[in-house]
Amino acid sequence: MKLFYTLFLAGWCICQTANAQKMQPVKSIPETKKSDTSINTEVNSRKIVTESTVVTQHQVTIKGQRISYKAVTGTLPVWDETGKAIAGLFYTYYERSDVKDKVNRPLVISFNGGPGSASVWMHIAYTGPVLLNIDEEGYPVQPYGYKENKSSILDVADIVYIDPVNTGYSRAINKDIPGSKFFGVNADIKYLAEWINTFVTRNNRWGSPKFLIGESYGTTRVSGLALELQNSQWMYLNGVVLVSPTTLGIERGDALSAALRLPYFTATAWYHKALKTDLQAKTLSALLPEVEQFTMNELIPALAKGSQLGEEQKKQMAVKMAAFSGLSEKTILQHNLDVPPGFFWKELLRDQGFTIGRLDSRYRGIDKQDAGEDPDYNAELSSWLHSFTPAINMYIRNELNYKTDLKYNMFGPVYPWDNTGNRTAENLRDAMAQNPSLHLMVQSGYFDGACDYFNAKYNMWQMDPGGKLKDRMSWKGYESGHMMYLRSADLEKGNNDLRDFISKSLPKAGAASKF
């Protein structure tokens, strides 16, 4: 499980028309009708296919409106510099059927993270037309399956979910293709920009308003793609959405990193009712500004002093940090005010016999022994793999009719990953500076300990220190974790925020793009 965790965040924060009586109980979406245009010549084979297409027709009810759409599943090539296909990228593309005007129809291009993760999470749990079978808080429920996503953004935008090389069904054509073509911050951005060009051209979407959305390492990816698409593909975007963003290459340093995680500690301790009575009685929205002010105005300067911080001031800091974190003053002093996240996940509920999750600290786990510095496993990721893996395999094969004997890689081998030259926050800033029509929205879960919400805010402050872009930047918080949409209330809220963002990012007809 620790291998899964490493692949998921990789040190940075680390996806119709038939009668309902034929459905399984949890399958409340209509069965598909296969289109005459479907092509998949390698059915029931493990052969790598660079081009394949399966088209099916469906319907979904979103916000009370019945919507018809087609789903296109298949692969398109990744080309090298000579025009030779070196990989086949698997994708799922949803296009609303009753909208003929593609020029004004937004296109959302979606990635998840890892960097070795398939685009499965947002596909069948957030923005897509189907929703995996989980309870109101996001925990697995059997029988496995899926149903209509009544909150999907397909009513306002078409969506394509892309699996990078070695994730999902995407593969290089053979083992002789060097991994360096794909597995690195900048290599990843370069080949995916080329692939997006192919996809947009093949599907006649050059005139459409375009949006990128990425989650976790996907935020690193789409931040870099915003500039790469402009500079190398001459493709200009209307919006970028960062869901649970990484640090985007912005350096922190030890003292700053230690301080910035405290507001996340506070949110998590509040959720588990581990704070003292006066703080616990406050709402989260009332409590967090208090700890944020303490962090910025007192804790950062104190930690920056290091050994020059006086003993009395150090004790005063420990008292306040203990109050805000649910940990003891003694524990905080023993760590010189720098409590490692892993220790926090082990320590907060140690006396109750539980650990807490990293990516979503609402989840609880149990270790072999209560002693120790870090949890034995990642409680939240175990839960997610439990519910997502059966659902995506069933859905692609049974509903979308894409059949292959390739293994669908929830996490795939993408290492060694070249992290050098990560300036993706600056890439995104440059893209926004050069394109007056480009807008940014960030979505964060308060209980995410991998890509925490306060570091997401810090990214925005550092990207735009002069404040010249702030009228095109927004941040949204949710009482959930890394995949904030797993909580039913935040699934609806998050998608409504996406709808508003798309609407506000679309220029008025005839309006010039200029400062």
Side-chain angles (χ1 to χ4, degrees):
M1 190 53 63
K2 289 193 174 182
L3 174 59
F4 286 151
Y5 153 72
T6 302
L7 289 171
F8 193 76
L9 282 181
W12 281 278
C13 320
I14 5 165
C15 109
Q16 215 165 349
T17 54
N19 72 55
Q21 281 88 4
K22 297 180 181 179
M23 300 300 144
Q24 297 177 28
V26 296
K27 281 176 56 181
S28 60
I29 66 170
E31 292 183 358
T32 64
K33 286 186 176 179
K34 195 169 182 180
S35 166
D36 293 338
T37 60
S38 299
I39 303 169
N40 187 9
T41 58
E42 303 296 337
V43 170
N44 297 331
S45 166
R46 286 196 170 186
K47 183 177 180 180
I48 307 303
V49 181
T50 58
E51 294 203 44
S52 60
T53 305
V54 176
V55 181
T56 50
Q57 304 294 331
H58 309 257
Q59 290 185 325
V60 62
T61 300
I62 301 173
K63 302 179 81 67
Q65 180 185 11
R66 198 66 176 164
I67 291 170
S68 298
Y69 66 95
K70 74 173 181 180
V72 182
T73 50
T75 52
L76 279 176
V78 175
W79 310 104
D80 68 7
E81 295 82 356
T82 67
K84 178 183 177 182
I86 58 173
L89 248 59
F90 182 76
Y91 69 95
T92 306
Y93 172 44
Y94 298 104
E95 183 180 281
R96 186 167 170 172
S97 304
D98 59 351
V99 177
K100 304 305 179 184
D101 179 13
K102 292 184 181 181
V103 171
N104 292 307
R105 174 76 170 165
L107 173 66
V108 173
I109 301 166
S110 182
F111 292 97
N112 272 102
S117 172
S119 292
V120 53
W121 316 98
M122 291 194 291
H123 182 177
I124 61 170
Y126 191 14
T127 52
V130 301
L131 190 66
L132 82 167
N133 192 32
I134 51 179
D135 74 1
E136 293 293 302
E137 294 295 318
Y139 291 91
V141 172
Q142 293 188 30
Y144 302 115
Y146 38 85
K147 55 191 175 184
E148 289 187 333
N149 182 2
K150 298 181 184 299
S151 296
S152 170
I153 61 169
L154 189 57
D155 57 333
V156 299
D158 297 332
I159 318 164
V160 57
Y161 300 91
I162 303 167
D163 291 336
V165 172
N166 277 1
T167 74
Y169 296 133
S170 299
R171 304 286 193 275
I173 59 170
N174 60 55
K175 294 181 179 179
D176 295 330
I177 306 298
S180 59
K181 291 280 187 182
F182 316 110
F183 306 143
V185 174
N186 293 305
D188 178 77
I189 291 166
K190 182 179 179 181
Y191 89 82
L192 287 172
E194 291 281 350
W195 189 93
I196 290 171
N197 185 310
T198 301
F199 174 86
V200 168
T201 300
R202 294 271 189 105
N203 289 277
N204 193 26
R205 299 309 297 260
W206 273 98
S208 303
K210 300 173 193 65
F211 295 81
L212 298 178
I213 181 170
E215 178 182 83
S216 194
Y217 184 83
T219 64
T220 301
R221 177 175 287 135
V222 300
S223 295
L225 276 169
L227 186 64
E228 181 71 11
L229 286 170
Q230 284 184 196
N231 287 354
S232 298
Q233 308 300 326
W234 311 286
M235 186 181 297
Y236 287 75
L237 304 171
N238 291 80
V240 172
V241 180
L242 307 181
V243 179
S244 306
T246 67
T247 59
L248 306 179
I250 300 173
E251 295 294 333
R252 262 70 167 171
D254 293 341
L256 187 57
S257 294
L260 291 175
R261 68 177 71 109
L262 181 62
Y264 151 73
F265 286 176
T266 302
T268 299
W270 177 88
Y271 176 82
H272 289 289
K273 296 180 170 54
L275 297 176
K276 292 182 178 179
T277 305
D278 58 336
L279 295 180
Q280 191 67 55
K282 298 183 178 184
T283 63
L284 194 60
S285 59
L287 175 60
L288 291 181
E290 187 176 339
V291 68
E292 291 174 9
Q293 288 298 313
F294 167 72
T295 298
M296 297 300 293
N297 299 331
E298 299 182 51
L299 185 55
I300 290 175
L303 288 173
K305 291 180 180 179
S307 63
Q308 296 302 303
L309 184 67
E311 285 301 313
E312 186 58 34
Q313 189 179 6
K314 188 175 184 179
K315 289 178 182 178
Q316 292 174 3
M317 288 294 106
V319 169
K320 292 183 178 180
M321 290 180 69
F324 282 129
S325 67
L327 304 179
S328 70
E329 296 170 29
K330 180 179 179 181
T331 293
I332 291 170
L333 286 170
Q334 287 174 335
H335 285 91
N336 292 319
L337 310 183
D338 181 1
V339 178
F343 182 83
F344 177 76
W345 303 321
K346 180 77 172 182
E347 176 71 12
L348 185 68
L349 301 182
R350 193 192 298 265
D351 61 348
Q352 300 178 36
F354 294 109
T355 62
I356 58 173
R358 180 179 192 266
L359 294 159
D360 192 330
S361 296
R362 298 175 303 148
Y363 290 70
R364 299 187 302 181
I366 53 173
D367 281 357
K368 183 176 182 180
Q369 59 184 24
D370 293 336
E373 297 293 309
D374 300 280
D376 291 350
Y377 67 100
N378 303 288
E380 77 296 326
L381 190 52
S382 296
S383 176
W384 297 343
L385 288 168
H386 184 169
S387 55
F388 275 86
T389 310
I392 191 65
N393 280 278
M394 294 163 62
Y395 174 62
I396 291 176
R397 190 172 187 90
N398 298 338
E399 296 296 330
L400 302 183
N401 286 326
Y402 192 89
K403 294 177 173 62
T404 175
D405 285 337
L406 280 174
K407 181 170 67 174
Y408 187 89
N409 283 340
M410 302 292 283
F411 302 101
V414 299
Y415 294 96
W417 187 269
D418 184 0
N419 295 319
T420 58
N422 181 357
R423 61 183 303 274
T424 49
E426 188 63 19
N427 293 154
L428 181 53
R429 193 214 69 83
D430 287 351
M432 293 182 72
Q434 296 172 29
N435 178 5
S437 297
L438 179 55
H439 296 72
L440 169 67
M441 182 172 73
V442 178
Q443 296 182 303
S444 296
Y446 292 117
F447 311 125
D448 179 4
C451 302
D452 70 82
Y453 89 91
F454 199 56
N455 267 284
K457 287 185 174 182
Y458 182 82
N459 281 347
M460 296 172 68
W461 301 334
Q462 300 308 309
M463 279 176 56
D464 182 33
K468 295 180 179 180
L469 305 176
K470 63 182 179 181
D471 62 330
R472 289 188 280 140
M473 303 171 74
S474 60
W475 179 90
K476 303 290 183 180
Y478 307 86
E479 291 192 18
S480 192
H482 192 72
M483 296 197 289
M484 16 69 61
Y485 43 82
L486 293 184
R487 181 170 173 261
S488 180
D490 289 319
L491 170 68
E492 182 176 6
K493 183 177 184 293
N495 275 306
N496 284 338
D497 288 338
L498 288 173
R499 281 187 186 83
D500 291 343
F501 175 72
I502 290 170
S503 177
K504 292 175 182 177
S505 301
L506 296 176
K508 295 180 180 179
S513 182
K514 63 180 181 180
F515 293 113

